[in-house]
Amino acid sequence: MGVQLPMSRALRYYLSEHPSIVNFRWSHHLWGSTWSFLLAAVAAYVAAASALHLLLLLLLPRPRRRPVPLGPLPALHSLAVAAASAAVFAGMLLSASAEIRDTRWLWRRSRTTPIQWLFCFPLGTRPSGRVFFWSYAFYLSRFLHLLRTFLTVLRRRRLTFFQLFNQSILLCMSFLWLEFSQSFQVLAILSTTLLYAVVYGYRFWTAIGLPGARFPFVANCQVVLLACNLICHFGVLFLHFLKGGCNGIGAWVFNSVFNGAILFLVLKFYVKVQLKYRKVGAVAEQEDDGSTAPAQAGSSGTETKIAREKHH
C-alpha cells in the first residue's frame, strides 16, 4: 500500500498536474497546428496511399497478387496505437476530473454542472489547459492511425474510399476541436480512445496468433461508438439552446454532419459483414447434416473473406 500510493500520485502528476500540461496553450507555433499543414498532410496521405495501391497493381498482376510479408509490423502498429490510446484516455480522464475540481466554484455563478460542461463548453472557452493538452495528443495520435492504411494496402492489395475518407475526416475533426475549442470533445476523446485501446489491443492479440472472436468484434465496436456519439450530439444541441450557446458550435455542426456520413458507411459495412456471418452459419448447419464437399469448400472461402473483413 505504501508503494502504490506514491505511484498513483506520480501517475496523476505526470498525466494531469505537470506544468507542461497545466500551462498548455494551443497556438500556431506547435507542430501540425496550421491550416496549411493540415491540408498538405491530408493531400499527401491520400496521394501516397493511392500511389502505393496503383504501383502494386502495376508491378504485381492479378495471378501473382500476394500479400507483401510485413513480419511483426502490423502487430507492433496495433500495440503502439493501443498504448497511445490508453495513455490519452487516462490523461484526459484525470485532466477532466482536475478541471472540474478546480473550476467548480466558477461554474456556480453560471449554474453550470460538470455534466453540462462535458457536453457544452461555455462561450469564450480558449484552447488552453489540461484537457486541450490531451486533445492535442489525440490529434497527434491520428497520424499514427494513418499508417494502418498503408499496411492494409500492402497486405490485402485493397484501398477503399471509406478508408481514405474516414482517416482524413477524423484528422480534420481532431484539428477543429483544438482550433475552435469545440464543445463535447472531452467525451468524444474519452469514448474514442477507450474504443481504440480495446480494438487495437484485440488486433494485436490476433496478430500474434491468438484466437479471435466468433463475431465481427471490430465492426460491432465501431457501430456502438458512432451510435453513442450520435445520441450525445442531441444533448449538445439541447444545451446549446438551453444555455444560450455552446463554444465552437460551427465546428460541432461540421463534426455532426461527417459523423452521420461515417455512421452510414459503417452501418453499410456492418450489414455486409453480418450477412456473411449468417451465410457461414447456414453452411455450418449443412455440414453438420452431412453436406457435400463443395459446400465445405464454399464455407472455407467465405470464412476467409470474413476474416479479412473482421480485421479491416
Side-chain angles (χ1 to χ4, degrees):
M1 185 67 179
V3 176
Q4 292 179 353
L5 186 59
M7 185 178 298
S8 63
R9 287 180 179 176
L11 187 64
R12 183 177 296 274
Y13 172 79
Y14 285 110
L15 291 179
S16 63
E17 303 296 343
H18 194 276
S20 61
I21 297 177
V22 176
N23 301 322
F24 174 81
R25 181 177 296 274
W26 169 257
S27 68
H28 290 169
H29 298 292
L30 296 171
W31 187 87
S33 59
T34 61
W35 285 95
S36 58
F37 178 91
L38 175 67
L39 297 176
V42 172
Y45 161 70
V46 173
S50 302
L52 177 62
H53 180 61
L54 292 175
L55 182 64
L56 291 176
L57 290 178
L58 293 174
L59 294 180
L60 298 176
R62 184 173 296 274
R64 298 170 52 195
R65 205 174 296 172
R66 297 178 180 178
V68 175
L70 299 177
L73 284 180
L76 292 176
H77 176 262
S78 296
L79 181 62
V81 174
S85 300
V88 174
F89 174 82
M92 179 60 81
L93 185 64
L94 293 174
S95 295
S97 63
E99 288 291 334
I100 292 173
R101 179 199 64 210
D102 294 345
T103 57
R104 187 188 296 270
W105 64 272
L106 182 62
W107 295 344
R108 293 174 182 173
R109 299 179 181 180
S110 59
R111 297 180 179 179
T112 300
T113 65
I115 295 297
Q116 290 175 342
W117 176 77
L118 290 172
F119 279 93
C120 178
F121 285 157
L123 294 175
T125 300
R126 295 182 178 181
S128 61
R130 298 179 180 92
V131 297
F132 289 99
F133 172 88
W134 289 108
S135 182
Y136 179 57
F138 177 80
Y139 167 63
L140 296 180
S141 71
R142 292 305 317 171
F143 291 93
L144 183 60
H145 284 260
L146 300 183
L147 297 178
R148 180 167 177 80
T149 301
F150 299 95
L151 295 177
T152 301
V153 171
L154 290 172
R155 293 174 65 188
R156 303 193 181 114
R157 300 291 190 274
R158 183 177 58 187
L159 181 65
T160 64
F161 169 78
F162 174 74
Q163 285 177 294
L164 297 177
F165 178 80
N166 184 51
Q167 297 286 7
S168 300
I169 290 301
L170 290 176
L171 181 63
C172 293
M173 287 195 300
S174 60
F175 177 88
L176 294 178
W177 290 351
L178 289 158
E179 186 71 11
F180 296 101
S181 303
Q182 182 194 311
S183 298
F184 181 61
Q185 65 175 280
V186 174
L187 289 177
I189 291 173
L190 286 174
S191 59
T192 304
T193 51
L194 178 61
L195 176 124
Y196 285 157
V198 172
V199 166
Y200 280 91
Y202 169 78
R203 284 172 170 164
F204 172 74
W205 175 274
T206 56
I208 60 177
L210 296 174
R214 294 182 178 273
F215 60 94
F217 179 81
V218 175
N220 285 353
C221 290
Q222 290 174 337
V223 170
V224 170
L225 173 66
L226 290 171
C228 290
N229 281 345
L230 189 63
I231 294 173
C232 290
H233 279 297
F234 288 103
V236 177
L237 189 62
F238 173 75
L239 289 174
H240 175 69
F241 291 107
L242 179 67
K243 302 291 291 184
C246 295
N247 202 70
I249 197 65
W252 173 84
V253 172
F254 175 88
N255 194 347
S256 300
V257 170
F258 283 100
N259 261 338
I262 292 174
L263 178 60
F264 171 77
L265 293 174
V266 169
L267 285 175
K268 182 179 178 181
F269 170 77
Y270 180 78
V271 171
K272 179 181 177 182
V273 172
Q274 287 292 342
L275 291 175
K276 288 185 177 181
Y277 266 80
R278 290 182 180 180
K279 184 177 180 180
V280 169
V283 171
E285 290 181 359
Q286 291 179 2
E287 292 178 358
D288 292 338
D289 294 337
S291 58
T292 59
Q296 295 177 357
S299 173
S300 176
T302 307
E303 289 176 349
T304 302
K305 292 180 181 178
I306 292 175
R308 294 174 181 174
E309 296 287 348
K310 182 173 64 175
H311 297 295
H312 175 64

